[in-house]
Amino acid sequence: MAVNVLLLVVGMFIETSAAILVLAPILAPIAVAYGVDPVHFGLIIVVNLALGMITPPLGVNLFAACAVAQLPVEKIIPQLVWFVLTVFGALMIITYVPAITLWPVEILMGN
Protein backbone atom coordinates (compact mmCIF):
# COMPACT_ATOMS: atom_id res chain seq x y z
CA MET A 1 0.00 0.00 0.00
CA ALA A 2 2.89 2.37 0.75
CA VAL A 3 4.27 1.86 -2.76
CA ASN A 4 0.83 2.63 -4.22
CA VAL A 5 0.65 5.89 -2.28
CA LEU A 6 4.23 6.81 -3.21
CA LEU A 7 3.63 6.16 -6.91
CA LEU A 8 0.33 8.04 -6.89
CA VAL A 9 1.95 11.13 -5.35
CA VAL A 10 4.94 10.90 -7.71
CA GLY A 11 2.51 10.61 -10.64
CA MET A 12 0.92 13.90 -9.63
CA PHE A 13 4.22 15.77 -9.85
CA ILE A 14 6.41 14.02 -12.42
CA GLU A 15 5.68 12.86 -15.95
CA THR A 16 5.13 9.09 -16.26
CA SER A 17 8.10 8.11 -18.41
CA ALA A 18 10.55 10.08 -16.26
CA ALA A 19 9.11 8.58 -13.08
CA ILE A 20 9.40 5.06 -14.52
CA LEU A 21 13.02 5.65 -15.53
CA VAL A 22 13.90 6.86 -12.04
CA LEU A 23 11.76 4.62 -9.82
CA ALA A 24 11.57 1.27 -11.61
CA PRO A 25 15.26 0.37 -11.15
CA ILE A 26 14.96 1.21 -7.46
CA LEU A 27 11.60 -0.39 -6.66
CA ALA A 28 11.60 -3.45 -8.96
CA PRO A 29 14.37 -5.38 -7.16
CA ILE A 30 12.67 -4.68 -3.84
CA ALA A 31 9.34 -5.95 -5.18
CA VAL A 32 10.96 -9.09 -6.62
CA ALA A 33 12.66 -9.70 -3.25
CA TYR A 34 9.20 -9.65 -1.66
CA GLY A 35 7.93 -12.15 -4.23
CA VAL A 36 6.00 -9.82 -6.54
CA ASP A 37 6.07 -10.81 -10.21
CA PRO A 38 7.96 -8.22 -12.31
CA VAL A 39 5.17 -8.00 -14.90
CA HIS A 40 2.60 -7.47 -12.16
CA PHE A 41 4.75 -4.80 -10.52
CA GLY A 42 5.24 -3.04 -13.85
CA LEU A 43 1.47 -2.87 -14.29
CA ILE A 44 1.07 -1.49 -10.78
CA ILE A 45 3.63 1.23 -11.53
CA VAL A 46 2.02 2.27 -14.82
CA VAL A 47 -1.56 2.37 -13.48
CA ASN A 48 -0.51 4.29 -10.36
CA LEU A 49 1.38 6.90 -12.35
CA ALA A 50 -1.46 7.23 -14.86
CA LEU A 51 -3.92 7.77 -12.03
CA GLY A 52 -1.63 10.41 -10.55
CA MET A 53 -1.59 12.29 -13.84
CA ILE A 54 -5.36 12.85 -13.73
CA THR A 55 -5.81 13.33 -9.99
CA PRO A 56 -6.49 16.86 -8.75
CA PRO A 57 -5.02 19.18 -7.66
CA LEU A 58 -1.71 18.63 -9.46
CA GLY A 59 -2.50 16.14 -12.23
CA VAL A 60 -0.67 17.22 -15.38
CA ASN A 61 -3.12 15.59 -17.79
CA LEU A 62 -6.05 17.21 -15.99
CA PHE A 63 -4.73 20.67 -16.78
CA ALA A 64 -3.87 19.70 -20.35
CA ALA A 65 -7.42 18.40 -20.90
CA CYS A 66 -8.87 21.58 -19.43
CA ALA A 67 -6.73 23.70 -21.74
CA VAL A 68 -7.77 21.72 -24.82
CA ALA A 69 -11.45 21.81 -23.83
CA GLN A 70 -11.17 25.48 -22.83
CA LEU A 71 -12.87 24.76 -19.53
CA PRO A 72 -11.88 25.72 -16.00
CA VAL A 73 -10.64 22.90 -13.77
CA GLU A 74 -13.47 23.52 -11.32
CA LYS A 75 -16.00 22.56 -13.99
CA ILE A 76 -14.35 19.21 -14.79
CA ILE A 77 -13.62 17.99 -11.25
CA PRO A 78 -17.20 16.88 -10.40
CA GLN A 79 -17.30 14.61 -13.46
CA LEU A 80 -13.75 13.44 -12.81
CA VAL A 81 -14.50 12.11 -9.32
CA TRP A 82 -16.30 8.98 -10.57
CA PHE A 83 -13.60 8.28 -13.13
CA VAL A 84 -10.83 8.59 -10.53
CA LEU A 85 -12.74 6.34 -8.12
CA THR A 86 -13.23 3.75 -10.86
CA VAL A 87 -9.56 3.75 -11.82
CA PHE A 88 -8.63 3.58 -8.12
CA GLY A 89 -10.90 0.55 -7.69
CA ALA A 90 -9.29 -1.09 -10.71
CA LEU A 91 -5.87 -0.29 -9.25
CA MET A 92 -6.79 -2.01 -5.98
CA ILE A 93 -7.96 -5.09 -7.89
CA ILE A 94 -4.78 -5.09 -10.00
CA THR A 95 -2.61 -4.71 -6.90
CA TYR A 96 -4.24 -7.24 -4.59
CA VAL A 97 -5.51 -9.88 -7.06
CA PRO A 98 -2.44 -10.65 -9.18
CA ALA A 99 -4.06 -13.70 -10.79
CA ILE A 100 -6.35 -11.42 -12.80
CA THR A 101 -3.47 -9.47 -14.30
CA LEU A 102 -1.09 -12.38 -14.78
CA TRP A 103 -3.34 -14.93 -16.52
CA PRO A 104 -2.73 -13.45 -20.01
CA VAL A 105 1.01 -13.69 -19.39
CA GLU A 106 0.66 -17.30 -18.27
CA ILE A 107 -1.34 -18.16 -21.39
CA LEU A 108 1.13 -16.47 -23.73
CA MET A 109 4.16 -17.99 -22.02
CA GLY A 110 2.61 -21.46 -21.92
CA ASN A 111 2.81 -21.95 -18.15
Side-chain angles (χ1 to χ4, degrees):
M1 189 60 150
V3 172
N4 275 338
V5 171
L6 170 76
L7 290 170
L8 182 64
V9 171
V10 167
M12 288 182 189
F13 292 102
I14 302 172
E15 195 239 317
T16 302
S17 57
I20 290 172
L21 285 173
V22 171
L23 294 175
I26 298 168
L27 296 176
I30 297 169
V32 170
Y34 278 100
V36 178
D37 186 89
V39 173
H40 182 231
F41 190 66
L43 189 59
I44 291 170
I45 289 175
V46 169
V47 173
N48 262 301
L49 294 174
L51 180 59
M53 289 189 76
I54 61 166
T55 303
L58 301 170
V60 177
N61 284 354
L62 174 64
F63 292 109
C66 289
V68 169
Q70 297 178 349
L71 291 171
V73 175
E74 301 83 33
K75 199 165 191 174
I76 289 183
I77 288 179
Q79 290 81 19
L80 185 68
V81 170
W82 291 110
F83 183 73
V84 168
L85 290 175
T86 303
V87 174
F88 183 76
L91 174 64
M92 291 299 104
I93 292 170
I94 288 168
T95 301
Y96 297 111
V97 188
I100 292 174
T101 58
L102 292 177
W103 72 267
V105 175
E106 292 173 359
I107 290 172
L108 291 173
M109 298 303 284
N111 294 336

